[in-house]
Amino acid sequence: MITFKQVEALYWIAELGSFEAAALRLNTTQSAISKRIQELESRFDLEIFDRSRRTACLTPKGEEILHTARQMLDMRDGLLAQLGAQEAVFHRLRLGVTELTALTWLPMLADRLRKRYPKLEIEPEVGLSRTLYERLADRTIDLIIVPDVFADPRYSVAPLGKVENAWMYADGVMPAKRVFALHEIAQQTVIVQGKDSGMGISYSQWFRTHGIDTPKTVVCSNLVAQIGLTVSGLGVSYLPKACLSHLTDQGVLRTAKTTPALPKIHYVAMYPSARPSDFLGEVARMCQACCDFSQLVLQAH
């Protein structure tokens, strides 16, 4: 009388706000989604969605049905998880990561996910933290790995690793190696990440806390480009210390110690509160096990 396909269509239309978005989420066509809802409405002679609105808006009866639909899907997913058949439900993971994660431990995570869920399709997106956070809010990404700068009670947060950054510069940009006061660094041309970067947000707040202004800045939110600008001698920059140790060991870049020292950046996995099946919670736990910012992918190979 009622199929899970119909229930899923109802749930995802309500969650994502449109028939088109639900179709994309369920890997089908918009006409197929519309047909499922029409069959449900026709069978029980009721209106689930208010078609006088431009967006997919539930009727009061539709809101009641949605509550039960969530429970049905949760129970189904929980049962499948108990039976060891998570791949029957979780066939796609839309994963958002920042550039640093993509350049370091993402391959390890992808390998572990493929072994745990052989049929899982991983859809990665590499972007700036704020963009990924907005995509999570729009429900077009399932889980993001970003610096811990977004406090939002709507999401579960799993702590991952810490990134130790260092002030780096090319030979000749800074005076002889010594401990610098923070205001001395600020007098240089400082290559910084912008307001959409989690690291940029974190350090911008830290500068303000210490009353530091950086009048000469170059904004660069692309990590590889930031490294290139620094190696080119165009300024001093905060860069991840461990994974760039080969550049400092070879003398391509030098490091400057400051007082106070740069704080470490805490990374987290953020995702909507898990259902009983806890698929995203399991992905977050895999992230915790794999997280390692110490080596670039190209170095490992």
Side-chain angles (χ1 to χ4, degrees):
M1 294 176 65
I2 299 176
T3 68
F4 274 116
K5 286 187 176 182
Q6 293 169 339
V7 175
E8 282 182 324
L10 165 62
Y11 174 80
W12 286 112
I13 294 167
E15 281 289 297
L16 302 178
S18 73
F19 283 62
E20 181 182 6
L24 289 172
R25 182 66 178 79
L26 295 172
N27 291 321
T28 188
T29 63
Q30 187 172 340
S31 60
I33 292 294
S34 296
K35 183 179 179 182
R36 293 175 193 178
I37 297 301
Q38 288 168 0
E39 289 172 345
L40 198 57
E41 291 179 322
S42 175
R43 175 68 181 80
F44 296 98
D45 192 24
L46 52 80
E47 282 192 353
I48 296 174
F49 288 96
D50 184 350
R51 287 170 172 75
S52 67
R53 309 285 187 90
R54 288 189 175 183
T55 57
C57 183
L58 288 166
T59 62
K61 189 63 177 179
E63 291 283 359
E64 293 178 22
I65 297 170
L66 176 62
H67 177 72
T68 305
R70 286 196 183 101
Q71 293 177 325
M72 290 178 64
L73 293 175
D74 285 347
M75 291 178 67
R76 180 202 64 177
D77 295 353
L79 177 60
L80 287 169
Q82 289 176 348
L83 294 171
Q86 291 96 330
E87 66 274 8
V89 179
F90 308 112
H91 57 273
R92 182 172 68 157
L93 172 66
R94 299 169 300 176
L95 178 65
V97 301
T98 60
E99 195 176 4
L100 181 58
T101 298
L103 289 171
T104 51
W105 56 276
L106 180 60
M108 188 189 309
L109 174 64
D111 182 62
R112 183 167 295 201
L113 283 167
R114 283 192 291 263
K115 288 177 179 176
R116 178 69 177 85
Y117 304 103
K119 296 181 181 179
L120 181 68
E121 180 182 351
I122 304 170
E123 297 182 6
E125 177 171 335
V126 181
L128 296 173
S129 297
R130 189 175 296 280
T131 301
L132 297 177
Y133 172 70
E134 290 171 353
R135 292 285 306 279
L136 186 67
D138 291 339
R139 300 187 182 95
T140 53
I141 277 184
D142 300 312
L143 181 146
I144 62 174
I145 299 167
V146 294
D148 188 14
V149 295
F150 304 109
D152 193 326
R154 293 177 296 174
Y155 305 110
S156 296
V157 175
L160 303 179
K162 302 175 185 177
V163 176
E164 181 181 1
N165 289 288
W167 290 109
M168 296 190 187
Y169 60 96
D171 193 28
V173 172
M174 298 272 284
K177 189 173 182 180
R178 59 182 173 84
V179 178
F180 295 89
L182 194 55
H183 70 85
E184 292 180 280
I185 295 288
Q187 291 169 5
Q188 305 291 322
T189 297
V190 183
I191 304 169
V192 299
Q193 296 194 13
K195 59 183 176 60
D196 292 327
S197 158
M199 199 168 289
I201 293 169
S202 182
Y203 281 139
S204 177
Q205 293 171 345
W206 183 71
F207 290 147
R208 287 197 299 270
T209 299
H210 290 280
I212 296 298
D213 184 32
T214 52
K216 296 185 290 183
T217 60
V218 174
V219 178
C220 180
S221 294
N222 179 290
L223 178 60
V224 174
Q226 188 181 9
I227 296 169
L229 291 174
T230 310
V231 170
S232 300
L234 297 176
V236 59
S237 180
Y238 47 78
L239 293 170
K241 185 176 180 180
C243 67
L244 296 183
S245 60
H246 63 294
L247 295 181
T248 55
D249 290 345
Q250 295 167 12
V252 176
L253 287 175
R254 299 182 181 276
T255 60
K257 292 184 178 181
T258 60
T259 177
L262 282 167
K264 295 179 180 179
I265 302 297
H266 296 246
Y267 270 71
V268 296
M270 293 183 68
Y271 55 98
S273 296
R275 291 160 133 184
S277 52
D278 199 26
F279 169 65
L280 294 179
E282 179 62 23
V283 173
R285 286 186 285 275
M286 290 184 185
C287 291
Q288 290 175 317
C290 294
C291 184
D292 181 1
F293 293 105
S294 65
Q295 192 172 35
L296 294 175
V297 174
L298 294 177
Q299 290 176 263
H301 293 80

